[in-house]
Amino acid sequence: MRHAHRVEVVRAAEAELMARLPEGTLMQRAATGLAVTCARLLTRRRGRVYGSRVVVLAGSGDNGGDALYAGAELARRGARVTAVLLAPGRAHGGGLAALRAARGRVVVEQEVGLADFSCADLVLDGIVGIGGRGGLRPEAEPYARAARTGVVVAVDVPSGVDADTGEVAGAALRADVTVCFGTYKPGLLIDPGASYAGAVQLVDIGLELPPAGVVALQHADVADLLPVPGGESDKYRRGVVGVAAGSARYPGAALLAVAGALRGGAGAVRYVGTAAEEVVRRFPETLVTEGGPAGAGRVQAWVVGPGGGEGAGRALAEALAADVPVLVDADGLTELARLGPGALAGRTAPTLLTPHTGEAARLLAGAGVGAGAGPGGDGGTRSEQPRPPAAEELGAARLATARRLAAAYRATVLLKGSTTVVADPSGSVRVNPTGTAWLATAGSGDVLAGLAGSLLAAGLSAPDAAAVAAYLHGLAARHTAGVPGAPVTASEVAAALPAVWNDVRAGVAPEPRSGRPGGTGA
């Protein structure tokens, strides 16, 4: 599991450790780990470090110092290192002295620095540290736009990316590799920041940290959570998931939600809705019930809303009245936005909401939470009539959006998109590391809803079910798309779920992502 901590937590841990160590020890640990990674990259690229052209972009503060010290180590190994000082009067004194002692070159003229940047084999981005906010300053912006031939290595976080949130408020320098110290930073795992970070490598510098507020599951974590039947299991003990989906206009949503549910670990799938004939024809193992959720019989969790059309309101009300977990998706979310958080008041069983950013905007408006609210969901009340949030704003602030929704509705939220974020009402977050942009295809969200609902019925908690479903869903899409990547359909994603389920249980490493980082679909 990858653990990510906020900047203030990291700063406190660093201060506590530095108080027990000789001065400069922590920076030397970071710089050494950074230099080792850079040397490995240069060796892979050119066959050796000696004679390589390295540019250090050094701002003020400790990140600039880390970069300068790492540059000095590379210079001692024979690299031709040039440090470009973007804040000459505030460059780290010790790092600068070390670089000069190693016969590194130092320049302050930005025209010279840009020329060196464009032809370097490797660039160390030490412009802004983890405490930076906003985009790059004017003197650094040209580096974000300049052509380059070498690999860019960010020091702890790409300059211009908010380390806590992944937000990018202006120009930012895109890295090929980010070397982070002590712990991952949330902004390295969540888009848009994640798309600037490249491959992220962690260097242990000995920090003692509290439990992380943001985590990303890995293969072993998911394998431990997958429901596996035992010798005494039967279909009812394994769980029955109810699916209320589909309509005359969207019968396919029912088929896709049931397809995901059948492959999610529950022992049986019970379907209610207008597409019963089509569902049984395609999936004869499905239990079909006339009417709505209220008369469906034994069910351990409900999935409500995919393609539900005008019947989504009744289905949602009946499912929420049951004392079982309920996953609300698509048309069910539209109905919930109309009703507001009061519709969930008094529920003791878990509720899982699975919106994309457009649906998130409607849900927040329905809760009276306007644009610009903080992570706690304090963006206004109904009486204040806050400005309705725009989907684009919410997508650019995915971490805050998921937390605001979870707080407003007191429910677990799986926010779909380029990075899938799962938040619970306590503020804890799980970020999905799998997926592909090819998942932006019709019906993929229906498959995800059925899969997550089945995991709920099998006994997983709402955060676990959401995180595991997103992980498997992303892997299935990558498995189907292949490398370098080709279009996939939602039906193909559902069909690939057993293969990736087996891969996870067997510990088979996932394929590299195709295209830019992706999440779950619409």
Side-chain angles (χ1 to χ4, degrees), residues 13-22 206-208:
E14 288 176 341
E16 183 179 341
L17 182 57
M18 284 189 289
R20 305 196 306 265
L21 295 174
L207 299 183
E208 296 179 6

Side-chain angles (χ1 to χ4, degrees), residues 443-462:
S444 66
D446 303 331
V447 174
L448 175 66
L451 174 61
S454 189
L455 291 164
L456 281 173
L460 272 67
S461 69

Side-chain angles (χ1 to χ4, degrees), residues 55 59 64 105 241 250 254 285 334 346 380 382 393 408 425 460 482 495 510:
V55 168
R105 173 170 165 250
V241 57
Y250 301 113
E285 60 269 50
T334 299
R382 291 180 185 273
E393 294 178 67
L460 272 67

Side-chain angles (χ1 to χ4, degrees), residues 1-15 17 26 29-30 63 66 129-130 154-158 162-164 178-189 197 199-216 429:
M1 187 176 293
R2 291 182 170 186
H3 300 265
H5 293 79
R6 290 177 56 84
V7 171
E8 62 181 0
V9 175
V10 175
R11 293 293 195 214
E14 288 176 341
L17 182 57
L26 200 60
R29 289 180 182 177
N63 266 50
D66 294 333
I130 58 175
V155 181
D156 225 3
V157 66
D162 189 304
D164 278 342
T178 297
V179 179
C180 59
F181 307 125
T183 182
Y184 294 93
K185 314 306 183 291
L188 300 177
L189 305 179
V200 181
Q201 299 186 13
L202 179 65
V203 172
D204 184 5
I205 56 174
L207 299 183
E208 296 179 6
L209 294 157
V214 176
V215 299
V429 168

Side-chain angles (χ1 to χ4, degrees), residues 239-338:
V240 180
V241 57
V243 176
S247 60
R249 186 176 181 184
Y250 301 113
L255 294 172
L256 292 168
V258 168
L262 286 168
R263 294 168 173 86
V269 177
R270 190 182 298 278
Y271 173 78
V272 299
T274 60
E277 185 175 341
E278 292 92 335
V279 168
V280 172
R281 184 182 301 117
R282 177 66 180 85
F283 302 110
E285 60 269 50
T286 309
L287 310 175
V288 176
T289 304
E290 296 291 334
R298 184 176 179 180
V299 167
Q300 275 78 45
W302 276 106
V303 175
V304 179
E310 293 180 359
R314 175 192 169 192
L316 177 64
E318 292 183 6
L320 291 177
D323 190 26
V324 298
V326 175
L327 183 151
V328 188
D329 185 50
D331 289 327
L333 293 171
T334 299
E335 181 66 16
L336 183 60
R338 184 184 69 80

Side-chain angles (χ1 to χ4, degrees), residues 287-448:
L287 310 175
V288 176
T289 304
E290 296 291 334
R298 184 176 179 180
V299 167
Q300 275 78 45
W302 276 106
V303 175
V304 179
E310 293 180 359
R314 175 192 169 192
L316 177 64
E318 292 183 6
L320 291 177
D323 190 26
V324 298
V326 175
L327 183 151
V328 188
D329 185 50
D331 289 327
L333 293 171
T334 299
E335 181 66 16
L336 183 60
R338 184 184 69 80
L339 298 171
L344 305 182
R347 272 186 58 79
T348 55
T351 306
L352 172 58
L353 312 181
T354 58
H356 54 60
T357 52
E359 291 162 340
R362 293 194 288 274
L363 286 166
L364 287 171
V369 179
D378 55 351
T381 64
R382 291 180 185 273
S383 62
E384 294 169 342
Q385 296 183 333
R387 176 172 65 86
E392 294 78 10
E393 294 178 67
L394 301 183
R398 306 192 62 78
L399 182 60
T401 298
R403 281 176 165 156
R404 288 162 62 193
L405 268 176
Y409 282 83
R410 303 301 300 168
T412 298
V413 171
L414 184 157
L415 180 63
K416 296 180 284 195
S418 60
T419 302
T420 296
V421 177
V422 177
D424 66 32
S426 74
S428 294
V429 168
R430 302 181 187 192
V431 178
N432 182 49
T434 68
T436 166
W438 292 114
L439 266 173
T441 186
S444 66
D446 303 331
V447 174
L448 175 66

Side-chain angles (χ1 to χ4, degrees), residues 68-94:
L68 289 166
Y69 276 119
E73 291 195 32
L74 295 172
R76 285 192 287 271
R77 294 185 58 173
R80 292 179 289 167
V81 181
T82 297
V84 183
L85 306 185
L86 282 88
R90 294 178 290 150
H92 191 278

